[in-house]
């Protein structure tokens, strides 16, 4: 496994206004990486001050949560949403230009974000089973284009020591019969077969990057050997025709969400939103 930079990194250029934006050549590179490898990493696309505010509030929420915590597969991998309050909902995160340019290039101009969630990898966590987040649309080896792209925003620097995600690049188009169980776990025989062809990799990923991956790509959370939790924001962009439940957001952000050229599948409420429920829809036992 590698903890260094790799060809799946595409670093957007910093514009005169300080915002990182992809050139047309970089957009082509990112699109091709997603098609071939199933993932691309865009460093520095979320401003550091916003990353720090989200990190601090998510860790404060973690400290006050009541047990049991909703876990993903194994102990220590917690499903936890960022606070859905107006002062912590940022266009630079939810409507990030570089991210949407990549996702709409693959999913079509009407691609929509339908998830605003997060994960925290706790110190001493266990290793998750290798899994995919979304299944293939039909059985058998016939490939199909992506219909869902995960967008992960690390809120601290991800390293091998603190449990950066393990990626099995190129596996998003593998769909032999019997390789996956109902929760998306990859069968052991399939893992060993793929490992002989191309072993998994881990990457050191700076806070504020956007990790965009095909939702069918094999991956897993790894052990956090550090003494600090490792939080991230997680979103999912889908093709317009794919039906998903909407994100529930406060009415105060409705004007800028709906004014954006980038689509969000959302409903809006004036009521408080419980983002720390112990029965999270995305938690997988």
């Amino acid at each position: 496994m590698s903890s260094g930079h790799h060809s799946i990194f595409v670093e957007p250029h910093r514009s005169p206004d300080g915002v990182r934006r992809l050139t047309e050549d970089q957009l082509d590179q990112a699109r091709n990486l997603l098609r071939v490898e199933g993932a691309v990493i865009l460093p520095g696309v979320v401003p550091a001050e916003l990353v720090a505010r989200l990190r601090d509030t998510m860790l404060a929420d973690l400290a006050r949560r009541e047990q049991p915590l909703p876990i993903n597969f194994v102990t220590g991998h917690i499903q936890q949403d960022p606070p859905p309050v107006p002062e912590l909902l940022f266009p630079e995160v939810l409507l990030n230009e570089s991210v949407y340019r990549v996702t709409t290039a693959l999913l079509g101009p009407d691609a929509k974000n339908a998830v605003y969630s997060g994960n925290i990898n706790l110190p001493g966590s266990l290793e998750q089973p290798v899994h995919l987040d979304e299944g293939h649309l039909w059985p058998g080896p016939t490939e199909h284009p992506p219909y869902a792209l995960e967008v992960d925003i690390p809120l601290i620097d991800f390293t091998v020591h603190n449990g950066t995600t393990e990626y099995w690049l190129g596996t998003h188009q593998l769909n032999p019969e019997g390789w996956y169980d109902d929760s998306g776990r990859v069968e052991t025989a399939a893992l060993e077969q793929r490992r002989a062809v191309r072993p998994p990799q881990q990457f050191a990923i700076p806070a504020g990057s956007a990790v965009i991956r095909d939702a069918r790509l094999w991956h897993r959370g790894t052990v956090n050997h550090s003494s600090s939790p490792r939080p991230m924001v997680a979103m999912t962009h889908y093709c317009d025709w794919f039906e998903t439940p909407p994100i529930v957001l406060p009415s105060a952000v409705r004007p800028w969400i709906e004014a954006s050229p980038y689509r969000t599948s959302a409903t809006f409420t004036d009521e408080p939103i419980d983002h720390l429920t112990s029965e999270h829809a995305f938690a997988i036992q």
Side-chain angles (χ1 to χ4, degrees), residues 10 12 22-23 26-35 38-42 45 91 93-115 145-153 210-216 234-241 260-265:
V10 176
L22 293 165
T23 66
Q26 289 177 322
L27 178 60
D28 286 343
Q29 184 183 359
R31 179 170 49 205
N32 290 333
L33 283 168
L34 275 163
R35 285 173 173 162
V40 65
I41 299 171
L42 309 179
V45 296
V93 176
L94 282 159
L95 300 171
N96 187 276
E97 177 184 334
S98 292
V99 168
Y100 266 94
R101 287 186 68 204
V102 173
T103 61
T104 55
L106 272 293
L107 303 177
D110 292 326
K112 60 189 178 186
N113 179 27
V115 171
Y147 68 94
L149 296 173
E150 307 292 344
V151 181
D152 297 332
I153 311 292
V211 183
I212 308 174
R213 58 179 167 82
D214 193 307
R216 300 166 294 172
M235 297 171 282
T236 310
H237 290 197
Y238 292 94
C239 288
D240 176 57
W241 48 261
S260 172
Y262 303 124
R263 294 190 60 217
T264 302
S265 176

